[in-house]
Amino acid sequence: MSRLSGIFSLLALAIAVSSCGSSEVPAGAQSQSAADAESDSGPDLARGELLSYACQACHALTPAGGPDIGPSLYGVFGRAAASDADFAYSDALLNADFVWTPEQLDAWLQAPTEFLPGTTMAFAGYGDARDRAALIAWLVGATAEP
């Protein structure tokens, strides 16, 4: 493992661990969507990239390679839930009937186990709608098929 790769792995682990307890959302903030949280200048893409390291601890963002704890996020937007043939999904996701859109991902990232009870994704969620907006905006570009 290269030194830079090792640093990114440690950073991803630190972000993932620190976000595990972040599921508490201040009263009244739960209904705020990522779209509502965007500032006039749009989402903070640099913040979105930083937050993506928690995703990358388990998910690849490219068509090949990367962690296999979770399915690849490459081309996720517009894809039906549980449709990556190379991944063994939970029954909850296998029985889900939706397409991944920024709005669906926003609800998922807020609290995955509340969005879809029975999911096996071990992530507490991002309670801050601005963080979700930044992450989703960054992922739209980073996971897009050419």
Side-chain angles (χ1 to χ4, degrees), residues 86-133:
D86 295 329
F87 189 75
Y89 292 95
S90 66
D91 287 340
L93 264 168
L94 287 171
N95 294 315
D97 185 26
F98 65 88
V99 171
W100 288 110
T101 64
E103 295 78 18
Q104 290 289 89
L105 188 58
D106 177 40
W108 174 271
L109 289 173
Q110 185 171 3
T113 57
E114 289 178 25
F115 175 82
L116 189 64
T119 183
T120 56
M121 184 167 143
F123 178 68
Y126 284 126
D128 188 318
R130 291 170 299 188
D131 282 348
R132 294 191 313 274

Side-chain angles (χ1 to χ4, degrees), residues 7-143:
I7 290 170
F8 281 124
S9 294
L10 287 174
L11 178 60
L13 179 61
I15 293 170
V17 169
S18 70
S19 67
C20 286
S22 68
S23 62
E24 271 191 51
V25 179
Q30 285 189 342
S31 64
Q32 186 178 28
S33 71
D36 294 338
E38 291 182 20
S39 68
D40 290 339
S41 61
D44 182 348
L45 294 178
R47 175 92 176 134
E49 182 177 16
L50 178 65
L51 293 169
S52 79
Y53 291 123
C55 305
Q56 293 178 65
C58 299
H59 299 274
L61 301 180
T62 61
D68 59 2
I69 296 167
S72 174
L73 298 180
Y74 181 75
V76 70
F77 293 102
R79 186 169 75 199
S83 62
D84 182 342
D86 295 329
F87 189 75
Y89 292 95
S90 66
D91 287 340
L93 264 168
L94 287 171
N95 294 315
D97 185 26
F98 65 88
V99 171
W100 288 110
T101 64
E103 295 78 18
Q104 290 289 89
L105 188 58
D106 177 40
W108 174 271
L109 289 173
Q110 185 171 3
T113 57
E114 289 178 25
F115 175 82
L116 189 64
T119 183
T120 56
M121 184 167 143
F123 178 68
Y126 284 126
D128 188 318
R130 291 170 299 188
D131 282 348
R132 294 191 313 274
L135 175 57
I136 292 166
W138 188 85
L139 284 172
V140 164
T143 63

